[in-house]
Amino acid sequence: MGKSRINTNLIGLEKQDYKGSPTTLCAGCGHNSISSQIITAAFELGLQPEQVIKISGIGCSSKSPAYFMNRSFAFNSVHGRMPSVASGAMLANRNLVTIGISGDGDTGSIGLGQFKHAMRRNTPMIYIVENNGVYGLTKGQFSVTADEGQNLKYYGKNDLPPLDLCLEAIVADCGFVARSFAGDPKQVRPLLKAAISYDGAALLDIISPCVAFNNTSDSTKGYDWVKEHDDPLHDITYIPIQEEVTTQYDPGDTSTVTLHDGSQILLRKLDESYDPTDKLGAIQALQSANNEESLLTGLIYYDPNRPNLIQSENLVESPLVQLTTDALRPNEESLSQIMSNL
Amino acid sequence: MVNNLKVNDINDIDVDQNINIINDFSIQVATPNGSGSQTSNLVLLRSLFKMGIPSSGKNLFPSNIQGMPTWYTIRCSQEGYVARRDSIQIMVLMNPETALQDINNIQSGGVCLYPKSAKYNFDREDITYYPMPVKRLAKESGVSSALRPYVSNMVYVGVLASVLSIDLLEIESALSWHFKGRQKLVDTNMPVIQAAFDWSRENLTKTDRFQVERTNSTDGTIMVDGNFAAALGAIYGGVTVMAWYPITPSTSLADSLTEYARLLRHDAEGHATYSIIQAEDELAAAGMIMGAGWAGARAMTATSGPGISLMSEFAGFGYYAEIPAVIWDVQRVGPSTGLPTRVSQGDLTACYWSSHGDTEHICLLPGNVAECFEFGWRAFDIAEQYQTPVFVLSDLDLGMNNWMTKPFNYPDKPMNRGKVLTADQVNENGFKRYFDLDGDGIPYRTLPGTVANGASYFTRGSGHDESAKYSEDPLDYATNMSRLRRKIDSSRETIPAPIVEHNKTASIGFVGFGSTDPAIIEARDRLAVIGVASSYLRIRALPASLTVSDFIASHERVYVVEMNIEGQLHKLIQIQSPELATKVLSLAHCDGLPLTASYIVSEILEQERGPNGKIKD
Ligand SMILES: Cc1ncc(C[n+]2csc(CCOP(=O)(O)OP(=O)(O)O)c2C)c(N)n1
Ligand code: SF4
Ligand SMILES: [Mg+2]
């Protein structure tokens, strides 16, 4: 077998096959970095692009599905309602891989209810919040994740405390809660892969700076601040199911998490005491990081044991959309029987 | 003769002659809500129906769980009329709070049953009183005090059975049917009914003239509510994803769907071929059916007015992005919370034009329970054929009350899954999502998961071109919108056609839709008797067939009957046929109660009387 010069993945596709249309977002927008990490992660995992659905709400962030994976199906829905559309699509076709893209306004304000209910139902999907602390598309209003006391050019001072979307997800019993930073591809990529391998709702709250409206040096959603205050819990390595773990790790500072599809992530602990399966510990860690003005990143909470929406609905193996008349329309005899019992 | 006619003549039963009145009266039971009278009322209704007497039952209930007044009315009509009638011949007063008003609603010559212990001071001398020993019989039944209110309601069943000669065997089998064969419950209730019956035979002297007689008029019919019918229709239509949020009067549709899908829609291993999700709200229910319909499911929701308002953004999305889904609106009285447990047809324009921007949705308008079943499955075919949300407008009266009907016909057409391309077809011919290849305005679609070069596309509510690419090009927008217009227009003569009864001698016609059908039928008969001939067209879908215009054109005047205030259908017809606008008159009425024939008759007589007091030709 001659070595091909062009890099292809497991299913024989090139990286080119995962690209999207040229972005129309601002140069330097964090959302673009996230798109390119999705492209890389999907390529490296060898996802069949047509089996991926990209669902989004409304906002600059929600536009970004146009800028990655053009061969996938997309549904750019209405403001705040990406989760319900994703839930409906997954119920219809359980074989699809759902990448949900949302913003902090789309998820934290208008869509807070749908967000939490999708977590609570454990709808199988990768739920990415491209979190910039503002409404980009409507030009710079404060969002619900904006810092208390922060000042913005047109909108003055923000008097209200922020919502922490990772906390909200944990409280809603989401079993995969991670936070990262668009400027840290090394961390975003393995988290994305792990989220894709997780068979339930996986939240990635990714700080994604808005260079147009919220990138001042004192903004906790700006590049400078995050680089200075990023406090990763661990170094993350994603190990696909096909690969063996070859390197030896000291079990004292490394833990292994096995995902639903058999792949693994290795977490080399930077914070000695952190255990991502401890729910109360995770809540506490997030709270104290917020109080200390540092940004806790990494896999914050993990629980593989909750049944997902497809399982709790007890659906047939075959996707509902592939069922034909004989499965969908009960026979004539059954109708006569019901009629005669009335 | 016509000119002297009073509304009461139409409304009331003729009790002046000294003969027995058989199978033609209304019974009303007044109870406090939540007192468990529903079983008694349904058992009475079913026994009468099973004795072959055409009957209908209507529950007039408050928005309350316990305590507020409730009235259940059973109308027996040997002629087969099932519309609501204002006048009551037999009244059962179980609610002390309303008894003194309720008694005034009994027609002269009628009957009043009440618990002996109530010690009312009634002063009407033109009705028959039957005081019932409710307390004593309930106590003697030996049931626990918690069950006593329930068995108390069985007393009036027994007394009525005796007074009207209702067959006790039918009552027993109705009880057993109602309790789904649980003998213990039958054995708790039946002895009370028997005791009340026996007491009544021994102690009451029958002085009224109402009576039932067994006939075969209900042979070959069943009795069901429209929400059950709709749910069953959806199941036979192959519904795969149902998302809903509880709201009266649509909840029982979701409940029936849950109950029957469980029986009918599992594979050999017991896995479901459907999913029913109680969503967090109607915004989410609409989003779920959009996502599911887009992915290729037969998706539906059931809601009522307030839910329709919340779903409107997605309705517009579905129209513009061309996503099939079915939205049942079991209408109640709006705007706002309105009268949440009362009937109206007030959502017609809200559904037809649901959403901001220019939309026009296909609306199906079932007029009876059989059509609730039929449209239950057909709605999916239409939604997938036209790739658009389809509204089905039922209402509280049709949906929640019991109606006689012929057994439902099994779907006579294979499922129409619309223009969906397979991977091979895409590979062979390529694919542009919004390209009008066939010239009928209906494009082709692919389903997510179709692995073929060029199969995928980007669904969006923002402007798009034929290839589903983002576009703000004025021409793209205009072309797309006019194709959508053409697409919806092309459904006009393929969706359920109007039912027309053209009376060649008539100068007036009626146009109606939905649950006003029985009142219109009865009104036409009564008008015919007094010399006013009429035609009738019942619209069963929007956009309306051009048959409607022909119908109007061939009559002098056409009355559009509907249960709302603004005359919504009337206005839609005027818009569709402006050249005929002056020939259509609005007969819109909405007070929360099902329409009566007497209302229609008196309005027609009023309007049709010329200045000389004579009916116009
Ligand atoms: C129902 C509705 N209300 C308001 C809007 C206007 N709108 C568009 S995007 C947006 C905020 C988006 O903010 P976010 O989700 O944070 O996305 P970003 O642009 O910051 O990525 C708003 C309010 C809308 N499209 N729909
Ligand atoms: S406005 Fe902000 S969020 Fe929107 S594209 Fe520009 S940088 Fe990104
Ligand atoms: Mg934002």
Side-chain angles (χ1 to χ4, degrees):
Chain A
M1 273 206 305
K3 254 196 187 160
S4 151
R5 263 191 338 117
I6 299 169
N7 232 333
T8 57
N9 64 9
L10 274 175
I11 60 165
L13 296 184
E14 298 166 23
K15 188 145 179 198
Q16 190 60 32
D17 295 311
Y18 294 84
K19 293 246 155 89
S21 306
T23 179
T24 60
L25 302 178
C26 304
C29 174
H31 303 348
N32 286 331
S33 318
I34 298 171
S35 296
S36 62
Q37 290 319 307
I38 295 173
I39 292 170
T40 309
F43 165 68
E44 289 178 4
L45 282 178
L47 297 184
Q48 180 66 48
E50 289 81 2
Q51 261 155 9
V52 173
I53 54 174
K54 307 173 289 183
I55 317 275
S56 59
I58 295 289
C60 294
S61 35
S62 292
K63 283 182 171 201
S64 62
Y67 316 131
F68 64 86
M69 297 181 75
N70 264 355
R71 283 180 50 173
S72 301
F73 288 78
F75 192 130
N76 181 195
S77 71
V78 298
H79 199 20
R81 275 153 282 179
M82 175 277 280
S84 59
V85 174
S87 302
M90 281 310 287
L91 288 167
N93 188 345
R94 58 183 295 170
N95 287 354
L96 300 172
V97 173
T98 300
I99 301 182
I101 303 284
S102 180
D104 43 316
D106 198 59
T107 283
S109 292
I110 190 166
L112 188 62
Q114 295 216 344
F115 161 62
K116 295 200 68 158
H117 285 280
M119 300 294 120
R120 174 173 172 259
R121 281 192 192 96
N122 205 12
T123 304
M125 67 187 294
I126 300 98
Y127 192 130
I128 300 172
V129 182
E130 305 188 339
N131 186 349
N132 54 16
V134 282
Y135 290 2
L137 194 61
T138 50
K139 297 190 182 250
Q141 298 83 3
F142 287 112
S143 86
V144 69
T145 64
D147 307 321
E148 188 172 355
Q150 186 187 358
N151 278 291
L152 282 180
K153 207 161 149 196
Y154 298 115
Y155 289 93
K157 183 159 158 269
N158 176 33
D159 294 321
L160 298 173
L163 278 189
D164 183 320
L165 297 175
C166 287
L167 272 177
E168 296 297 333
I170 295 173
V171 169
D173 265 330
C174 174
F176 186 111
V177 180
R179 172 165 286 153
S180 193
F181 170 46
D184 184 1
K186 275 217 194 88
Q187 190 188 46
V188 171
R189 211 180 310 156
L191 281 175
L192 272 171
K193 289 180 183 171
I196 291 168
S197 297
Y198 181 78
D199 195 14
L203 173 72
L204 293 181
D205 178 17
I206 306 180
I207 306 304
S208 177
C210 170
V211 293
F213 300 110
N214 193 14
N215 193 29
T216 52
S217 56
D218 59 341
S219 163
T220 64
K221 307 294 182 295
Y223 282 111
D224 292 346
W225 191 95
V226 179
K227 275 180 196 149
E228 248 163 64
H229 296 81
D230 191 353
D231 179 15
L233 290 164
H234 27 239
D235 278 339
I236 306 174
T237 317
Y238 177 86
I239 302 170
I241 186 164
Q242 302 83 3
E243 270 173 38
E244 263 177 64
V245 184
T246 47
T247 330
Q248 285 292 312
Y249 293 97
D250 172 1
D253 70 11
T254 304
S255 57
T256 318
V257 172
T258 304
L259 298 149
H260 291 113
D261 65 359
S263 59
Q264 293 184 318
I265 39 177
L266 299 181
L267 304 174
R268 197 169 63 75
K269 292 179 190 170
L270 299 175
D271 176 341
E272 295 285 298
S273 61
Y274 197 75
D275 171 11
T277 62
D278 172 6
K279 192 171 188 174
L280 284 178
I283 292 172
Q284 208 159 31
L286 282 169
Q287 283 288 15
S288 13
N290 290 344
N291 295 342
E292 290 155 18
E293 298 203 355
S294 80
L295 185 75
L296 205 64
T297 60
L299 181 60
I300 293 168
Y301 179 61
Y302 184 73
D303 170 11
N305 297 322
R306 276 189 65 208
N308 69 27
L309 177 64
I310 306 301
Q311 291 157 343
S312 50
E313 280 297 288
N314 184 31
L315 295 189
V316 287
E317 204 62 37
S318 159
L320 296 181
V321 297
Q322 284 169 19
L323 301 176
T324 50
T325 304
D326 42 309
L328 296 180
R329 174 168 285 170
N331 62 25
E332 192 160 359
E333 169 67 33
S334 67
L335 183 62
S336 329
Q337 206 166 351
I338 293 171
M339 293 294 106
S340 63
N341 286 338
L342 289 170
Chain B
M1 177 204 174
V2 165
N3 293 336
N4 301 330
L5 199 101
K6 291 187 307 243
V7 177
N8 273 357
D9 299 336
I10 306 147
N11 204 7
D12 290 353
I13 302 284
D14 187 359
V15 286
D16 293 341
Q17 294 158 43
N18 206 7
I19 49 166
N20 282 349
I21 297 157
I22 295 159
N23 297 352
D24 195 15
F25 50 79
S26 292
I27 307 170
Q28 186 164 75
V29 182
T31 48
N33 200 24
S35 65
S37 59
Q38 198 64 344
T39 304
S40 302
N41 300 334
L42 291 173
V43 162
L44 273 175
L45 175 64
R46 189 173 170 85
S47 317
L48 293 163
F49 167 69
K50 285 286 175 183
M51 285 183 74
I53 304 153
S55 317
S56 57
K58 293 196 192 301
N59 192 17
L60 190 67
F61 61 106
S63 178
N64 158 270
I65 301 300
Q66 207 157 35
M68 280 170 66
T70 302
W71 295 269
Y72 193 85
T73 309
I74 295 171
R75 177 179 182 184
C76 298
S77 163
Q78 190 54 55
E79 292 164 296
Y81 295 124
V82 292
R84 185 175 77 85
R85 184 168 53 186
D86 288 317
S87 82
I88 303 296
Q89 286 70 46
I90 299 164
M91 181 74 81
V92 184
L93 299 175
M94 300 298 284
N95 187 359
E97 215 174 286
T98 59
L100 292 178
Q101 295 105 54
D102 290 337
I103 194 160
N104 293 324
N105 295 333
I106 306 172
Q107 191 199 321
S108 186
V111 179
C112 172
L113 285 76
Y114 65 97
K116 237 181 202 162
S117 57
K119 304 214 168 58
Y120 295 118
N121 265 335
F122 295 133
D123 53 10
R124 282 188 65 173
E125 285 169 9
D126 58 339
I127 54 178
T128 303
Y129 295 97
Y130 296 132
M132 307 175 289
V134 175
K135 266 203 173 139
R136 182 167 63 80
L137 292 178
K139 199 168 168 204
E140 283 171 12
S141 71
V143 302
S144 68
S145 54
L147 284 180
R148 238 176 253 163
Y150 296 90
V151 297
S152 297
N153 287 319
M154 293 298 153
V155 172
Y156 67 75
V157 176
V159 174
L160 279 174
S162 155
V163 169
L164 298 172
S165 310
I166 306 172
D167 189 340
L168 278 184
L169 288 175
E170 290 295 3
I171 289 194
E172 183 159 8
S173 63
L175 257 184
S176 171
W177 186 86
H178 184 84
F179 290 129
K180 299 196 160 78
R182 280 167 292 180
Q183 194 57 38
K184 215 179 138 218
L185 292 171
V186 178
D187 292 345
T188 312
N189 290 284
M190 196 57 209
V192 183
I193 296 173
Q194 183 72 52
F197 182 92
D198 294 343
W199 171 87
S200 154
R201 282 285 146 107
E202 280 158 33
N203 297 284
L204 292 183
T205 316
K206 184 170 167 75
T207 52
D208 70 279
R209 295 201 315 282
F210 298 98
Q211 191 178 315
V212 298
E213 256 172 33
R214 192 177 280 277
T215 80
N216 57 9
S217 303
T218 64
D219 284 6
T221 66
I222 55 172
M223 184 170 267
V224 291
D225 62 76
N227 283 349
F228 161 81
L232 206 61
I235 290 170
Y236 283 83
V239 61
T240 42
V241 176
M242 153 72 159
W244 67 292
Y245 188 73
I247 183 168
T248 305
S250 71
T251 299
S252 65
L253 200 165
D255 291 346
S256 291
L257 194 64
T258 305
E259 183 182 344
Y260 281 85
R262 205 176 276 152
L263 297 174
L264 293 165
R265 292 280 303 276
H266 284 88
D267 70 1
E269 286 88 52
H271 297 299
T273 59
Y274 65 93
S275 168
I276 300 174
I277 301 286
Q278 185 185 319
E280 56 268 37
D281 53 35
E282 289 89 346
L283 300 172
M288 287 176 190
I289 64 169
M290 282 290 117
W294 172 74
R298 296 206 131 183
M300 72 178 280
T301 185
T303 186
S304 191
I308 289 293
S309 294
L310 286 184
M311 290 178 183
S312 67
E313 192 180 3
F314 264 128
F317 187 102
Y319 179 85
Y320 190 43
E322 301 181 65
I323 297 174
V326 173
I327 302 170
W328 276 81
D329 176 8
V330 187
Q331 296 167 95
R332 62 189 219 183
V333 176
S336 190
T337 302
L339 308 175
T341 59
R342 301 294 157 87
V343 67
S344 98
Q345 296 179 318
D347 297 348
L348 193 65
T349 50
C351 291
Y352 194 43
W353 290 320
S354 175
S355 163
H356 57 278
D358 293 304
T359 61
E360 192 171 287
H361 299 286
I362 295 174
C363 294
L364 306 186
L365 310 169
N368 51 55
V369 284
E371 286 180 355
C372 287
F373 176 80
E374 185 193 335
F375 296 177
W377 60 267
R378 277 186 79 179
F380 291 116
D381 292 343
I382 295 168
E384 289 193 324
Q385 180 183 351
Y386 291 96
Q387 299 177 23
T388 196
V390 168
F391 287 84
V392 192
L393 285 83
S394 171
D395 64 37
L396 182 141
D397 187 24
L398 189 51
M400 290 187 73
N401 285 323
N402 279 296
W403 302 85
M404 294 189 307
T405 180
K406 289 225 175 71
F408 303 146
N409 294 323
Y410 192 72
D412 57 359
K413 287 190 188 71
M415 288 186 190
N416 180 352
R417 305 304 309 255
K419 297 182 186 177
V420 178
L421 296 177
T422 61
D424 287 345
Q425 288 169 320
V426 173
N427 281 329
E428 212 162 293
N429 306 314
F431 163 62
K432 276 189 192 170
R433 173 65 179 100
Y434 297 115
F435 178 59
D436 187 9
L437 183 68
D438 302 333
D440 58 359
I442 308 171
Y444 286 80
R445 65 177 183 139
T446 54
L447 303 183
T450 306
V451 184
N453 202 1
S456 65
Y457 66 97
F458 200 104
T459 302
R460 45 164 58 92
S462 46
H464 43 264
D465 65 11
E466 285 175 347
S467 310
K469 295 233 154 38
Y470 183 82
S471 170
E472 295 180 6
D473 185 327
L475 191 61
D476 280 338
Y477 176 77
T479 312
N480 201 17
M481 289 301 285
S482 73
R483 178 180 58 76
L484 288 174
R485 171 79 264 165
R486 259 193 303 125
K487 179 176 91 166
I488 299 299
D489 269 340
S490 78
S491 74
R492 204 179 283 281
E493 307 299 338
T494 69
I495 53 182
I499 305 237
V500 190
E501 236 183 274
H502 200 141
N503 183 341
K504 291 251 153 54
T505 66
S507 56
I508 67 163
F510 288 103
V511 168
F513 72 100
S515 72
T516 56
D517 188 45
I520 297 175
I521 291 173
E522 188 177 351
R524 289 182 61 223
D525 285 357
R526 298 201 192 272
L527 284 166
V529 169
I530 54 175
V532 183
S534 63
S535 298
Y536 177 27
L537 179 148
R538 180 162 63 83
I539 293 184
R540 300 197 301 157
L542 295 177
S545 159
L546 298 180
T547 313
V548 178
S549 312
D550 298 343
F551 180 82
I552 298 165
S554 57
H555 291 85
E556 291 297 314
R557 290 170 300 284
V558 166
Y559 292 92
V560 182
V561 179
E562 55 194 311
M563 284 189 293
N564 54 52
I565 304 287
E566 291 289 332
Q568 298 181 11
L569 181 64
H570 174 248
K571 285 179 179 153
L572 288 179
I573 289 173
Q574 287 187 320
I575 291 170
Q576 176 165 327
S577 309
E579 71 285 2
L580 300 169
T582 54
K583 294 181 94 178
V584 281
L585 305 164
S586 178
L587 226 172
H589 177 74
C590 181
D591 57 8
L593 304 177
L595 207 64
T596 59
S598 61
Y599 171 80
I600 298 174
V601 170
S602 62
E603 283 294 308
I604 293 297
L605 292 182
E606 180 99 348
Q607 302 215 28
E608 286 292 305
R609 236 187 279 272
N612 57 1
K614 290 246 163 61
I615 292 287
K616 299 178 207 162
D617 289 329

